Amino acid sequence: MAASPPSPAENDPVRTRRRARTWATLLWSAAALVLAVSLIGGGDESSDDREQPSAARSAPHAPPASASPPAAVRPVGKHLPRSRPTRLVIPKISVSAPFIPLAIGRSGRLDAPPADDVNLVGWYAKGASPGETGTSIIAGHVDTTTSPAVFAELGDLKKGDRFHVARADGRRASFVVDSVETFEKDDFPDERVYADTPRAQVRLITCAGDYDREAKDYTENLVVFAHLI
């Protein structure tokens, strides 16, 4: 996966945020973030320096501009300031996992969490942080070559289930699940999953479906849609 950075920030903070939001809208619309066994992450950057992932492979056509959210939207509903996440807790499936920031590698794909640690999640840190206005992306392995991993039971979540993110600022962001869906990797709805929003939302993402030994990849992605409460 490749990342296309937004235009350089200017001195005017209002203009900077508007330009960052505009670039985020355009880049999300063009993106096709397809997760394989290797998942996603990033670094802890300021809000105005966010980047969005762009096409990985077989990118679908970009949706019409009318489908994109407004470039400068006031936050809607509850939200928190930006802060690095430190631990993901999902009581229903007994997940309590630390976060790791993952960078985009030389291959153009986002690096995966270390394969020797099955209890680890990554967040795409050049997007929104969990609890911040926008769409925050959290990903983890479903398994490794030796055992199930942190998101092995992610598909057991249902609408109304809750999970929590501990943050570096000492606050806890709590989320409620809106839906749990699986998508074929060849028909992944990148706009729906990754588009920026005026609300504080989270997507939990892992692999699903059958494992294609020839392609060395799963055939589907599982996505949990949730919002801050």
Side-chain angles (χ1 to χ4, degrees):
M1 290 171 242
S4 301
S7 55
E10 297 185 9
N11 293 329
D12 184 342
V14 174
R15 180 175 296 178
T16 297
R17 286 188 177 276
R18 287 179 177 174
R19 289 201 172 185
R21 191 66 72 176
T22 301
W23 273 101
T25 297
L26 294 173
L27 289 170
W28 277 130
S29 298
L33 186 58
V34 182
L35 296 179
V37 177
S38 296
L39 295 174
I40 66 175
D44 192 8
E45 304 290 342
S46 67
S47 297
D48 291 341
D49 291 333
R50 292 181 193 168
E51 297 174 358
Q52 308 298 349
S54 61
R57 50 176 148 150
S58 304
H61 295 294
S66 59
S68 301
V73 181
R74 290 181 179 274
V76 175
K78 183 177 181 180
H79 60 280
L80 299 174
R82 184 171 182 79
S83 181
R84 175 177 55 84
T86 58
R87 181 166 290 271
L88 174 67
V89 178
I90 311 177
K92 182 176 180 178
I93 57 174
S94 301
V95 166
S96 178
F99 281 88
I100 186 172
L102 305 175
I104 296 172
R106 293 182 180 180
S107 66
R109 298 174 67 96
L110 290 158
D111 292 334
D116 59 351
D117 189 341
V118 297
N119 190 47
L120 197 61
V121 292
W123 72 295
Y124 187 63
K126 290 190 177 181
S129 61
E132 186 181 12
T133 299
T135 303
S136 180
I137 307 301
I138 299 173
H141 290 297
V142 66
D143 60 15
T144 68
T145 57
T146 59
S147 68
V150 62
F151 278 170
E153 298 179 356
L154 194 65
D156 291 346
L157 296 183
K158 306 295 182 185
K159 182 177 180 179
D161 289 337
R162 299 189 179 193
F163 62 91
H164 316 282
V165 176
R167 301 166 18 121
D169 62 3
R171 300 187 185 187
R172 186 179 79 160
S174 295
F175 299 88
V176 63
V177 173
D178 297 313
S179 65
V180 180
E181 303 178 49
T182 56
F183 305 103
E184 293 287 339
K185 290 196 175 185
D186 291 338
D187 192 28
F188 193 82
D190 52 286
E191 167 99 6
R192 181 183 169 201
V193 175
Y194 302 113
D196 207 2
T197 75
R199 298 181 181 274
Q201 299 189 3
V202 159
R203 311 288 186 252
L204 306 179
I205 306 178
T206 194
C207 291
D210 297 325
Y211 185 72
D212 186 333
R213 294 185 179 278
E214 186 174 328
K216 296 182 179 179
D217 194 5
Y218 282 90
T219 58
E220 299 176 349
N221 283 124
L222 174 71
V223 182
V224 174
F225 296 80
H227 69 273
L228 182 71
I229 55 175

